[in-house]
Amino acid sequence: MADAADKKSPIGFWASSTEKHSIIEDIQGVVAGSMLAALGVTMLAAAHLLIGGTAGLGFLLRYSVDISFGTAFFLLNLPFYWLAYKRLGLAFTVKTFAAVALTSVLTGILPKLITFDSIEPITAALFGGLLIGCGMLVLFRHRASLGGFGILALYLQDRLGWRAGFVQLGLDCVVLFLSFFVASPFVIACSIVAAVTLNLTLAINHRTDRYIVR
């Protein structure tokens, strides 16, 4: 009986076990992951860098047309929710929608609260990529993502066993290739550093056979 008590708390929505996160834990995970990702995006934007995935497409639109990153990022993710619902379930879809919406809002607010008078591009790439990667890692461990390519990467990992970080890295390379139309070679090189940092963080730290809590 003591073992059962250790595994699960009796307090309703706070209840968690070795196999499942509680509702409160999931809310905290979605908020924390979104905050880390938004701060990473803010650092990259301050250095005028890009990144892969739908976030990278959001940056491309931000630099090409008169639209905010948050708006572009939110809209670009809309087509992926159907795949998330059909393949990964309603709970994953709802948490991912919340993470994308919160990240979109925060990326519009943070530049008004945090400013960088001077930020070296390589530094922004390393720390920004790491922050976004850590944010996505938190979200992945709570069965959520930042949408877009993250949904596809998680789906392929669950179905085919492909490592999510490496799948996303390949897709990010396509986005970064498109960056040649709007950015200088140096900016693109720094952006590649950010993408590699982000995806190595995921590839090394996220494996479904090591972390099984849902």
Side-chain angles (χ1 to χ4, degrees), residues 19-78:
E19 295 83 25
K20 184 177 178 61
H21 288 295
S22 70
I23 295 175
I24 292 297
E25 288 172 338
D26 277 339
I27 292 173
Q28 187 278 334
V30 168
V31 172
S34 301
M35 290 174 66
L36 287 169
L39 181 56
V41 168
T42 300
M43 291 188 70
L44 295 180
H48 304 288
L49 301 183
L50 302 109
I51 198 70
T54 47
L57 294 177
F59 272 124
L60 288 175
L61 287 175
R62 176 178 182 267
Y63 296 145
S64 302
V65 298
D66 186 20
I67 187 173
S68 70
F69 170 85
T71 300
F73 182 61
F74 182 81
L75 293 176
L76 286 168
N77 275 291
L78 292 178

